[in-house]
Amino acid sequence: IRTCIRKGILYESDPFHNAVFVGKDGAGTPRFACARGTLGIHKHDIAGSDKRFGFVLPPKSAEGADILAVFESPIDALSHAELTGTDCHRLSLAGTTPLALRQFLEMEHEAGRRIDRIELCLDNDEAGRAGMDAIEKMLSEEFWFADIEIERTPPPAGKDYNESLLAARREEYTQQHTGLQQDGGFSL
């Protein structure tokens, strides 16, 4: 979260206290933003946003710069970072359309950087699987993307990576507190 705030890709809106995730172009200019509720199920894209510029959580080091993990939402990208610790670019498509992926790959190419592997981490539901099919088709049809390794990496539990993170945290909590509960009661 602190990294995102420092990079200007996450802030809190006023007066509703929504989390606002920002996607930038190659020059660092904000081009897309989406708001997500912190106290409920509120979500919307900010008016005038260009979905070609998705929220990107950059790698921590140059070692992760050639790997890209792709998600439907910024929350899933952040959850993946917390859950796996893998060093890579994380891109939110703001849905399942490959527009932001194509734009990201083109910006990386123009900057002289190369992505060798893409992990498709879309939701484990019908829309997510259809989105992965569309991405694989788009990448196979473009000759300059043909040598990129593509791997489907569904969430290990639940519908998406945020549900996986929540399940892992519940499991950790349960393991830490197993001495407190036995057969539905408390032990002293």
PDB file of all heavy atoms in Angstrom, residues 66-105:
ATOM      1  N   ASP A  66      10.887  -8.916 -16.205  1.00  0.00           N
ATOM      2  CA  ASP A  66      10.513  -9.617 -17.434  1.00  0.00           C
ATOM      3  C   ASP A  66       9.285 -10.513 -17.252  1.00  0.00           C
ATOM      4  O   ASP A  66       8.889 -11.240 -18.150  1.00  0.00           O
ATOM      5  CB  ASP A  66      11.688 -10.430 -17.974  1.00  0.00           C
ATOM      6  CG  ASP A  66      12.169 -11.511 -17.015  1.00  0.00           C
ATOM      7  OD1 ASP A  66      11.812 -11.455 -15.825  1.00  0.00           O
ATOM      8  OD2 ASP A  66      12.897 -12.405 -17.472  1.00  0.00           O
ATOM      9  N   ILE A  67       8.653 -10.437 -16.085  1.00  0.00           N
ATOM     10  CA  ILE A  67       7.466 -11.238 -15.789  1.00  0.00           C
ATOM     11  C   ILE A  67       6.289 -10.294 -15.553  1.00  0.00           C
ATOM     12  O   ILE A  67       6.417  -9.287 -14.865  1.00  0.00           O
ATOM     13  CB  ILE A  67       7.682 -12.115 -14.542  1.00  0.00           C
ATOM     14  CG1 ILE A  67       8.890 -13.027 -14.732  1.00  0.00           C
ATOM     15  CG2 ILE A  67       6.429 -12.934 -14.231  1.00  0.00           C
ATOM     16  CD1 ILE A  67       9.343 -13.704 -13.454  1.00  0.00           C
ATOM     17  N   LEU A  68       5.148 -10.658 -16.109  1.00  0.00           N
ATOM     18  CA  LEU A  68       3.926  -9.868 -15.945  1.00  0.00           C
ATOM     19  C   LEU A  68       2.799 -10.780 -15.482  1.00  0.00           C
ATOM     20  O   LEU A  68       2.501 -11.778 -16.131  1.00  0.00           O
ATOM     21  CB  LEU A  68       3.535  -9.208 -17.273  1.00  0.00           C
ATOM     22  CG  LEU A  68       2.189  -8.483 -17.308  1.00  0.00           C
ATOM     23  CD1 LEU A  68       2.181  -7.293 -16.350  1.00  0.00           C
ATOM     24  CD2 LEU A  68       1.874  -8.034 -18.726  1.00  0.00           C
ATOM     25  N   ALA A  69       2.194 -10.453 -14.357  1.00  0.00           N
ATOM     26  CA  ALA A  69       1.004 -11.145 -13.878  1.00  0.00           C
ATOM     27  C   ALA A  69      -0.193 -10.239 -14.166  1.00  0.00           C
ATOM     28  O   ALA A  69      -0.143  -9.039 -13.905  1.00  0.00           O
ATOM     29  CB  ALA A  69       1.109 -11.441 -12.385  1.00  0.00           C
ATOM     30  N   VAL A  70      -1.258 -10.819 -14.729  1.00  0.00           N
ATOM     31  CA  VAL A  70      -2.411 -10.051 -15.195  1.00  0.00           C
ATOM     32  C   VAL A  70      -3.653 -10.424 -14.379  1.00  0.00           C
ATOM     33  O   VAL A  70      -3.953 -11.609 -14.208  1.00  0.00           O
ATOM     34  CB  VAL A  70      -2.660 -10.316 -16.698  1.00  0.00           C
ATOM     35  CG1 VAL A  70      -3.851  -9.523 -17.192  1.00  0.00           C
ATOM     36  CG2 VAL A  70      -1.415  -9.988 -17.511  1.00  0.00           C
ATOM     37  N   PHE A  71      -4.376  -9.397 -13.919  1.00  0.00           N
ATOM     38  CA  PHE A  71      -5.537  -9.572 -13.050  1.00  0.00           C
ATOM     39  C   PHE A  71      -6.718  -8.779 -13.583  1.00  0.00           C
ATOM     40  O   PHE A  71      -6.549  -7.858 -14.365  1.00  0.00           O
ATOM     41  CB  PHE A  71      -5.212  -9.082 -11.632  1.00  0.00           C
ATOM     42  CG  PHE A  71      -4.021  -9.769 -11.046  1.00  0.00           C
ATOM     43  CD1 PHE A  71      -2.742  -9.269 -11.276  1.00  0.00           C
ATOM     44  CD2 PHE A  71      -4.163 -10.921 -10.305  1.00  0.00           C
ATOM     45  CE1 PHE A  71      -1.633  -9.921 -10.765  1.00  0.00           C
ATOM     46  CE2 PHE A  71      -3.059 -11.577  -9.789  1.00  0.00           C
ATOM     47  CZ  PHE A  71      -1.792 -11.072 -10.021  1.00  0.00           C
ATOM     48  N   GLU A  72      -7.898  -9.090 -13.068  1.00  0.00           N
ATOM     49  CA  GLU A  72      -9.087  -8.322 -13.417  1.00  0.00           C
ATOM     50  C   GLU A  72      -9.180  -7.033 -12.612  1.00  0.00           C
ATOM     51  O   GLU A  72      -9.755  -6.057 -13.086  1.00  0.00           O
ATOM     52  CB  GLU A  72     -10.350  -9.160 -13.187  1.00  0.00           C
ATOM     53  CG  GLU A  72     -10.503 -10.300 -14.164  1.00  0.00           C
ATOM     54  CD  GLU A  72     -11.795 -11.073 -13.979  1.00  0.00           C
ATOM     55  OE1 GLU A  72     -12.831 -10.455 -13.631  1.00  0.00           O
ATOM     56  OE2 GLU A  72     -11.767 -12.291 -14.189  1.00  0.00           O
ATOM     57  N   SER A  73      -8.630  -7.028 -11.391  1.00  0.00           N
ATOM     58  CA  SER A  73      -8.798  -5.856 -10.523  1.00  0.00           C
ATOM     59  C   SER A  73      -7.515  -5.521  -9.774  1.00  0.00           C
ATOM     60  O   SER A  73      -6.677  -6.399  -9.542  1.00  0.00           O
ATOM     61  CB  SER A  73      -9.917  -6.109  -9.501  1.00  0.00           C
ATOM     62  OG  SER A  73      -9.455  -6.984  -8.491  1.00  0.00           O
ATOM     63  N   PRO A  74      -7.370  -4.259  -9.372  1.00  0.00           N
ATOM     64  CA  PRO A  74      -6.212  -3.872  -8.562  1.00  0.00           C
ATOM     65  C   PRO A  74      -6.147  -4.622  -7.233  1.00  0.00           C
ATOM     66  O   PRO A  74      -5.061  -4.969  -6.769  1.00  0.00           O
ATOM     67  CB  PRO A  74      -6.413  -2.373  -8.329  1.00  0.00           C
ATOM     68  CG  PRO A  74      -7.280  -1.916  -9.441  1.00  0.00           C
ATOM     69  CD  PRO A  74      -8.181  -3.071  -9.740  1.00  0.00           C
ATOM     70  N   ILE A  75      -7.292  -4.885  -6.622  1.00  0.00           N
ATOM     71  CA  ILE A  75      -7.320  -5.600  -5.338  1.00  0.00           C
ATOM     72  C   ILE A  75      -6.706  -6.991  -5.498  1.00  0.00           C
ATOM     73  O   ILE A  75      -5.951  -7.450  -4.639  1.00  0.00           O
ATOM     74  CB  ILE A  75      -8.766  -5.700  -4.795  1.00  0.00           C
ATOM     75  CG1 ILE A  75      -9.333  -4.316  -4.495  1.00  0.00           C
ATOM     76  CG2 ILE A  75      -8.834  -6.605  -3.575  1.00  0.00           C
ATOM     77  CD1 ILE A  75      -8.629  -3.547  -3.409  1.00  0.00           C
ATOM     78  N   ASP A  76      -7.012  -7.659  -6.604  1.00  0.00           N
ATOM     79  CA  ASP A  76      -6.427  -8.986  -6.837  1.00  0.00           C
ATOM     80  C   ASP A  76      -4.927  -8.892  -7.063  1.00  0.00           C
ATOM     81  O   ASP A  76      -4.167  -9.749  -6.609  1.00  0.00           O
ATOM     82  CB  ASP A  76      -7.108  -9.679  -8.015  1.00  0.00           C
ATOM     83  CG  ASP A  76      -8.529 -10.107  -7.687  1.00  0.00           C
ATOM     84  OD1 ASP A  76      -8.816 -10.373  -6.508  1.00  0.00           O
ATOM     85  OD2 ASP A  76      -9.351 -10.176  -8.618  1.00  0.00           O
ATOM     86  N   ALA A  77      -4.469  -7.848  -7.745  1.00  0.00           N
ATOM     87  CA  ALA A  77      -3.030  -7.660  -7.955  1.00  0.00           C
ATOM     88  C   ALA A  77      -2.314  -7.459  -6.618  1.00  0.00           C
ATOM     89  O   ALA A  77      -1.265  -8.069  -6.364  1.00  0.00           O
ATOM     90  CB  ALA A  77      -2.781  -6.470  -8.880  1.00  0.00           C
ATOM     91  N   LEU A  78      -2.882  -6.638  -5.746  1.00  0.00           N
ATOM     92  CA  LEU A  78      -2.289  -6.416  -4.427  1.00  0.00           C
ATOM     93  C   LEU A  78      -2.356  -7.673  -3.572  1.00  0.00           C
ATOM     94  O   LEU A  78      -1.409  -7.989  -2.843  1.00  0.00           O
ATOM     95  CB  LEU A  78      -2.985  -5.255  -3.718  1.00  0.00           C
ATOM     96  CG  LEU A  78      -2.785  -3.875  -4.344  1.00  0.00           C
ATOM     97  CD1 LEU A  78      -3.693  -2.853  -3.673  1.00  0.00           C
ATOM     98  CD2 LEU A  78      -1.340  -3.444  -4.262  1.00  0.00           C
ATOM     99  N   SER A  79      -3.451  -8.407  -3.670  1.00  0.00           N
ATOM    100  CA  SER A  79      -3.595  -9.653  -2.916  1.00  0.00           C
ATOM    101  C   SER A  79      -2.557 -10.676  -3.367  1.00  0.00           C
ATOM    102  O   SER A  79      -1.963 -11.376  -2.546  1.00  0.00           O
ATOM    103  CB  SER A  79      -5.004 -10.221  -3.088  1.00  0.00           C
ATOM    104  OG  SER A  79      -5.967  -9.345  -2.556  1.00  0.00           O
ATOM    105  N   HIS A  80      -2.317 -10.762  -4.659  1.00  0.00           N
ATOM    106  CA  HIS A  80      -1.306 -11.669  -5.211  1.00  0.00           C
ATOM    107  C   HIS A  80       0.076 -11.305  -4.684  1.00  0.00           C
ATOM    108  O   HIS A  80       0.852 -12.178  -4.289  1.00  0.00           O
ATOM    109  CB  HIS A  80      -1.329 -11.590  -6.740  1.00  0.00           C
ATOM    110  CG  HIS A  80      -0.358 -12.469  -7.434  1.00  0.00           C
ATOM    111  ND1 HIS A  80       0.905 -12.040  -7.798  1.00  0.00           N
ATOM    112  CD2 HIS A  80      -0.448 -13.760  -7.843  1.00  0.00           C
ATOM    113  CE1 HIS A  80       1.536 -13.017  -8.410  1.00  0.00           C
ATOM    114  NE2 HIS A  80       0.741 -14.078  -8.452  1.00  0.00           N
ATOM    115  N   ALA A  81       0.377 -10.019  -4.633  1.00  0.00           N
ATOM    116  CA  ALA A  81       1.676  -9.569  -4.119  1.00  0.00           C
ATOM    117  C   ALA A  81       1.852  -9.992  -2.669  1.00  0.00           C
ATOM    118  O   ALA A  81       2.922 -10.466  -2.268  1.00  0.00           O
ATOM    119  CB  ALA A  81       1.805  -8.057  -4.253  1.00  0.00           C
ATOM    120  N   GLU A  82       0.809  -9.841  -1.883  1.00  0.00           N
ATOM    121  CA  GLU A  82       0.858 -10.214  -0.468  1.00  0.00           C
ATOM    122  C   GLU A  82       0.924 -11.730  -0.289  1.00  0.00           C
ATOM    123  O   GLU A  82       1.670 -12.235   0.536  1.00  0.00           O
ATOM    124  CB  GLU A  82      -0.370  -9.655   0.251  1.00  0.00           C
ATOM    125  CG  GLU A  82      -0.427  -9.947   1.717  1.00  0.00           C
ATOM    126  CD  GLU A  82       0.599  -9.189   2.541  1.00  0.00           C
ATOM    127  OE1 GLU A  82       1.111  -8.154   2.084  1.00  0.00           O
ATOM    128  OE2 GLU A  82       0.897  -9.657   3.655  1.00  0.00           O
ATOM    129  N   LEU A  83       0.163 -12.436  -1.085  1.00  0.00           N
ATOM    130  CA  LEU A  83       0.052 -13.886  -0.951  1.00  0.00           C
ATOM    131  C   LEU A  83       1.294 -14.620  -1.441  1.00  0.00           C
ATOM    132  O   LEU A  83       1.772 -15.547  -0.790  1.00  0.00           O
ATOM    133  CB  LEU A  83      -1.185 -14.371  -1.718  1.00  0.00           C
ATOM    134  CG  LEU A  83      -1.621 -15.808  -1.553  1.00  0.00           C
ATOM    135  CD1 LEU A  83      -2.025 -16.087  -0.116  1.00  0.00           C
ATOM    136  CD2 LEU A  83      -2.810 -16.095  -2.479  1.00  0.00           C
ATOM    137  N   THR A  84       1.825 -14.199  -2.583  1.00  0.00           N
ATOM    138  CA  THR A  84       2.917 -14.959  -3.209  1.00  0.00           C
ATOM    139  C   THR A  84       4.296 -14.364  -2.965  1.00  0.00           C
ATOM    140  O   THR A  84       5.279 -15.089  -2.962  1.00  0.00           O
ATOM    141  CB  THR A  84       2.724 -15.082  -4.725  1.00  0.00           C
ATOM    142  OG1 THR A  84       2.894 -13.782  -5.332  1.00  0.00           O
ATOM    143  CG2 THR A  84       1.359 -15.656  -5.067  1.00  0.00           C
ATOM    144  N   GLY A  85       4.382 -13.054  -2.857  1.00  0.00           N
ATOM    145  CA  GLY A  85       5.684 -12.415  -2.719  1.00  0.00           C
ATOM    146  C   GLY A  85       6.513 -12.440  -3.989  1.00  0.00           C
ATOM    147  O   GLY A  85       7.644 -11.981  -4.012  1.00  0.00           O
ATOM    148  N   THR A  86       5.957 -12.963  -5.071  1.00  0.00           N
ATOM    149  CA  THR A  86       6.658 -13.027  -6.349  1.00  0.00           C
ATOM    150  C   THR A  86       7.005 -11.621  -6.822  1.00  0.00           C
ATOM    151  O   THR A  86       6.183 -10.711  -6.740  1.00  0.00           O
ATOM    152  CB  THR A  86       5.772 -13.713  -7.412  1.00  0.00           C
ATOM    153  OG1 THR A  86       5.363 -14.978  -6.921  1.00  0.00           O
ATOM    154  CG2 THR A  86       6.494 -13.872  -8.723  1.00  0.00           C
ATOM    155  N   ASP A  87       8.216 -11.432  -7.331  1.00  0.00           N
ATOM    156  CA  ASP A  87       8.633 -10.134  -7.854  1.00  0.00           C
ATOM    157  C   ASP A  87       8.334 -10.082  -9.343  1.00  0.00           C
ATOM    158  O   ASP A  87       8.932 -10.817 -10.135  1.00  0.00           O
ATOM    159  CB  ASP A  87      10.125  -9.912  -7.584  1.00  0.00           C
ATOM    160  CG  ASP A  87      10.538  -8.471  -7.792  1.00  0.00           C
ATOM    161  OD1 ASP A  87       9.673  -7.580  -7.725  1.00  0.00           O
ATOM    162  OD2 ASP A  87      11.732  -8.239  -8.031  1.00  0.00           O
ATOM    163  N   CYS A  88       7.388  -9.245  -9.730  1.00  0.00           N
ATOM    164  CA  CYS A  88       6.982  -9.123 -11.129  1.00  0.00           C
ATOM    165  C   CYS A  88       6.151  -7.851 -11.287  1.00  0.00           C
ATOM    166  O   CYS A  88       5.781  -7.217 -10.309  1.00  0.00           O
ATOM    167  CB  CYS A  88       6.168 -10.344 -11.557  1.00  0.00           C
ATOM    168  SG  CYS A  88       4.600 -10.559 -10.675  1.00  0.00           S
ATOM    169  N   HIS A  89       5.878  -7.514 -12.548  1.00  0.00           N
ATOM    170  CA  HIS A  89       4.876  -6.485 -12.824  1.00  0.00           C
ATOM    171  C   HIS A  89       3.516  -7.113 -12.546  1.00  0.00           C
ATOM    172  O   HIS A  89       3.302  -8.299 -12.843  1.00  0.00           O
ATOM    173  CB  HIS A  89       4.885  -6.081 -14.311  1.00  0.00           C
ATOM    174  CG  HIS A  89       6.091  -5.361 -14.763  1.00  0.00           C
ATOM    175  ND1 HIS A  89       6.274  -4.016 -14.573  1.00  0.00           N
ATOM    176  CD2 HIS A  89       7.176  -5.789 -15.440  1.00  0.00           C
ATOM    177  CE1 HIS A  89       7.417  -3.645 -15.108  1.00  0.00           C
ATOM    178  NE2 HIS A  89       7.993  -4.709 -15.627  1.00  0.00           N
ATOM    179  N   ARG A  90       2.590  -6.331 -12.018  1.00  0.00           N
ATOM    180  CA  ARG A  90       1.212  -6.782 -11.840  1.00  0.00           C
ATOM    181  C   ARG A  90       0.313  -5.754 -12.510  1.00  0.00           C
ATOM    182  O   ARG A  90       0.359  -4.576 -12.182  1.00  0.00           O
ATOM    183  CB  ARG A  90       0.874  -6.913 -10.356  1.00  0.00           C
ATOM    184  CG  ARG A  90       1.595  -8.071  -9.715  1.00  0.00           C
ATOM    185  CD  ARG A  90       1.305  -8.176  -8.223  1.00  0.00           C
ATOM    186  NE  ARG A  90       1.898  -9.377  -7.671  1.00  0.00           N
ATOM    187  CZ  ARG A  90       3.179  -9.459  -7.280  1.00  0.00           C
ATOM    188  NH1 ARG A  90       3.988  -8.415  -7.371  1.00  0.00           N
ATOM    189  NH2 ARG A  90       3.643 -10.588  -6.791  1.00  0.00           N
ATOM    190  N   LEU A  91      -0.495  -6.224 -13.458  1.00  0.00           N
ATOM    191  CA  LEU A  91      -1.356  -5.352 -14.249  1.00  0.00           C
ATOM    192  C   LEU A  91      -2.811  -5.697 -14.016  1.00  0.00           C
ATOM    193  O   LEU A  91      -3.196  -6.862 -14.135  1.00  0.00           O
ATOM    194  CB  LEU A  91      -1.035  -5.519 -15.745  1.00  0.00           C
ATOM    195  CG  LEU A  91      -1.993  -4.880 -16.746  1.00  0.00           C
ATOM    196  CD1 LEU A  91      -1.949  -3.353 -16.662  1.00  0.00           C
ATOM    197  CD2 LEU A  91      -1.679  -5.356 -18.162  1.00  0.00           C
ATOM    198  N   SER A  92      -3.618  -4.687 -13.712  1.00  0.00           N
ATOM    199  CA  SER A  92      -5.063  -4.863 -13.622  1.00  0.00           C
ATOM    200  C   SER A  92      -5.682  -4.403 -14.936  1.00  0.00           C
ATOM    201  O   SER A  92      -5.417  -3.298 -15.408  1.00  0.00           O
ATOM    202  CB  SER A  92      -5.634  -4.024 -12.480  1.00  0.00           C
ATOM    203  OG  SER A  92      -7.043  -3.955 -12.604  1.00  0.00           O
ATOM    204  N   LEU A  93      -6.519  -5.259 -15.505  1.00  0.00           N
ATOM    205  CA  LEU A  93      -7.197  -4.934 -16.758  1.00  0.00           C
ATOM    206  C   LEU A  93      -8.461  -4.120 -16.540  1.00  0.00           C
ATOM    207  O   LEU A  93      -9.050  -3.651 -17.499  1.00  0.00           O
ATOM    208  CB  LEU A  93      -7.580  -6.227 -17.496  1.00  0.00           C
ATOM    209  CG  LEU A  93      -6.451  -7.180 -17.833  1.00  0.00           C
ATOM    210  CD1 LEU A  93      -7.021  -8.462 -18.450  1.00  0.00           C
ATOM    211  CD2 LEU A  93      -5.453  -6.535 -18.773  1.00  0.00           C
ATOM    212  N   ALA A  94      -8.906  -3.988 -15.299  1.00  0.00           N
ATOM    213  CA  ALA A  94     -10.199  -3.359 -14.989  1.00  0.00           C
ATOM    214  C   ALA A  94     -11.314  -4.124 -15.703  1.00  0.00           C
ATOM    215  O   ALA A  94     -12.152  -3.560 -16.374  1.00  0.00           O
ATOM    216  CB  ALA A  94     -10.208  -1.881 -15.358  1.00  0.00           C
ATOM    217  N   GLY A  95     -11.255  -5.432 -15.573  1.00  0.00           N
ATOM    218  CA  GLY A  95     -12.207  -6.328 -16.231  1.00  0.00           C
ATOM    219  C   GLY A  95     -11.453  -7.460 -16.907  1.00  0.00           C
ATOM    220  O   GLY A  95     -10.391  -7.876 -16.440  1.00  0.00           O
ATOM    221  N   THR A  96     -11.969  -7.910 -18.026  1.00  0.00           N
ATOM    222  CA  THR A  96     -11.329  -9.032 -18.722  1.00  0.00           C
ATOM    223  C   THR A  96     -10.837  -8.697 -20.121  1.00  0.00           C
ATOM    224  O   THR A  96     -10.197  -9.520 -20.763  1.00  0.00           O
ATOM    225  CB  THR A  96     -12.292 -10.233 -18.816  1.00  0.00           C
ATOM    226  OG1 THR A  96     -13.455  -9.834 -19.546  1.00  0.00           O
ATOM    227  CG2 THR A  96     -12.686 -10.732 -17.441  1.00  0.00           C
ATOM    228  N   THR A  97     -11.111  -7.512 -20.603  1.00  0.00           N
ATOM    229  CA  THR A  97     -10.680  -7.141 -21.944  1.00  0.00           C
ATOM    230  C   THR A  97      -9.157  -6.973 -21.996  1.00  0.00           C
ATOM    231  O   THR A  97      -8.561  -6.443 -21.059  1.00  0.00           O
ATOM    232  CB  THR A  97     -11.374  -5.850 -22.422  1.00  0.00           C
ATOM    233  OG1 THR A  97     -10.885  -5.505 -23.729  1.00  0.00           O
ATOM    234  CG2 THR A  97     -11.103  -4.693 -21.493  1.00  0.00           C
ATOM    235  N   PRO A  98      -8.511  -7.408 -23.079  1.00  0.00           N
ATOM    236  CA  PRO A  98      -7.048  -7.320 -23.157  1.00  0.00           C
ATOM    237  C   PRO A  98      -6.495  -5.949 -23.563  1.00  0.00           C
ATOM    238  O   PRO A  98      -5.303  -5.814 -23.830  1.00  0.00           O
ATOM    239  CB  PRO A  98      -6.694  -8.384 -24.197  1.00  0.00           C
ATOM    240  CG  PRO A  98      -7.891  -8.553 -25.042  1.00  0.00           C
ATOM    241  CD  PRO A  98      -9.070  -8.234 -24.156  1.00  0.00           C
ATOM    242  N   LEU A  99      -7.310  -4.900 -23.589  1.00  0.00           N
ATOM    243  CA  LEU A  99      -6.839  -3.577 -24.018  1.00  0.00           C
ATOM    244  C   LEU A  99      -5.630  -3.097 -23.216  1.00  0.00           C
ATOM    245  O   LEU A  99      -4.635  -2.636 -23.779  1.00  0.00           O
ATOM    246  CB  LEU A  99      -7.950  -2.534 -23.893  1.00  0.00           C
ATOM    247  CG  LEU A  99      -9.106  -2.605 -24.865  1.00  0.00           C
ATOM    248  CD1 LEU A  99     -10.200  -1.619 -24.463  1.00  0.00           C
ATOM    249  CD2 LEU A  99      -8.627  -2.346 -26.273  1.00  0.00           C
ATOM    250  N   ALA A 100      -5.703  -3.169 -21.897  1.00  0.00           N
ATOM    251  CA  ALA A 100      -4.604  -2.681 -21.053  1.00  0.00           C
ATOM    252  C   ALA A 100      -3.357  -3.547 -21.215  1.00  0.00           C
ATOM    253  O   ALA A 100      -2.235  -3.039 -21.137  1.00  0.00           O
ATOM    254  CB  ALA A 100      -5.033  -2.636 -19.589  1.00  0.00           C
ATOM    255  N   LEU A 101      -3.538  -4.833 -21.456  1.00  0.00           N
ATOM    256  CA  LEU A 101      -2.391  -5.717 -21.667  1.00  0.00           C
ATOM    257  C   LEU A 101      -1.658  -5.347 -22.945  1.00  0.00           C
ATOM    258  O   LEU A 101      -0.433  -5.215 -22.957  1.00  0.00           O
ATOM    259  CB  LEU A 101      -2.841  -7.175 -21.717  1.00  0.00           C
ATOM    260  CG  LEU A 101      -1.750  -8.192 -22.061  1.00  0.00           C
ATOM    261  CD1 LEU A 101      -0.593  -8.135 -21.074  1.00  0.00           C
ATOM    262  CD2 LEU A 101      -2.357  -9.592 -22.132  1.00  0.00           C
ATOM    263  N   ARG A 102      -2.390  -5.162 -24.022  1.00  0.00           N
ATOM    264  CA  ARG A 102      -1.770  -4.768 -25.299  1.00  0.00           C
ATOM    265  C   ARG A 102      -1.007  -3.451 -25.131  1.00  0.00           C
ATOM    266  O   ARG A 102       0.131  -3.328 -25.550  1.00  0.00           O
ATOM    267  CB  ARG A 102      -2.813  -4.625 -26.389  1.00  0.00           C
ATOM    268  CG  ARG A 102      -2.241  -4.072 -27.706  1.00  0.00           C
ATOM    269  CD  ARG A 102      -3.328  -3.800 -28.711  1.00  0.00           C
ATOM    270  NE  ARG A 102      -3.944  -5.015 -29.184  1.00  0.00           N
ATOM    271  CZ  ARG A 102      -3.425  -5.793 -30.126  1.00  0.00           C
ATOM    272  NH1 ARG A 102      -2.284  -5.472 -30.683  1.00  0.00           N
ATOM    273  NH2 ARG A 102      -4.040  -6.870 -30.516  1.00  0.00           N
ATOM    274  N   GLN A 103      -1.644  -2.470 -24.483  1.00  0.00           N
ATOM    275  CA  GLN A 103      -1.006  -1.169 -24.281  1.00  0.00           C
ATOM    276  C   GLN A 103       0.246  -1.301 -23.426  1.00  0.00           C
ATOM    277  O   GLN A 103       1.288  -0.706 -23.736  1.00  0.00           O
ATOM    278  CB  GLN A 103      -1.985  -0.189 -23.619  1.00  0.00           C
ATOM    279  CG  GLN A 103      -1.454   1.208 -23.469  1.00  0.00           C
ATOM    280  CD  GLN A 103      -1.284   1.918 -24.795  1.00  0.00           C
ATOM    281  OE1 GLN A 103      -2.049   1.695 -25.740  1.00  0.00           O
ATOM    282  NE2 GLN A 103      -0.275   2.757 -24.898  1.00  0.00           N
ATOM    283  N   PHE A 104       0.179  -2.079 -22.359  1.00  0.00           N
ATOM    284  CA  PHE A 104       1.340  -2.281 -21.487  1.00  0.00           C
ATOM    285  C   PHE A 104       2.498  -2.897 -22.263  1.00  0.00           C
ATOM    286  O   PHE A 104       3.642  -2.439 -22.171  1.00  0.00           O
ATOM    287  CB  PHE A 104       0.963  -3.170 -20.296  1.00  0.00           C
ATOM    288  CG  PHE A 104       2.124  -3.463 -19.394  1.00  0.00           C
ATOM    289  CD1 PHE A 104       2.475  -2.579 -18.386  1.00  0.00           C
ATOM    290  CD2 PHE A 104       2.886  -4.613 -19.559  1.00  0.00           C
ATOM    291  CE1 PHE A 104       3.562  -2.836 -17.557  1.00  0.00           C
ATOM    292  CE2 PHE A 104       3.964  -4.885 -18.733  1.00  0.00           C
ATOM    293  CZ  PHE A 104       4.310  -3.993 -17.726  1.00  0.00           C
ATOM    294  N   LEU A 105       2.220  -3.949 -23.036  1.00  0.00           N
ATOM    295  CA  LEU A 105       3.275  -4.613 -23.803  1.00  0.00           C
ATOM    296  C   LEU A 105       3.879  -3.673 -24.845  1.00  0.00           C
ATOM    297  O   LEU A 105       5.095  -3.669 -25.061  1.00  0.00           O
ATOM    298  CB  LEU A 105       2.744  -5.883 -24.466  1.00  0.00           C
ATOM    299  CG  LEU A 105       2.369  -7.009 -23.504  1.00  0.00           C
ATOM    300  CD1 LEU A 105       1.672  -8.140 -24.257  1.00  0.00           C
ATOM    301  CD2 LEU A 105       3.585  -7.515 -22.747  1.00  0.00           C
TER     302      LEU A 105
END
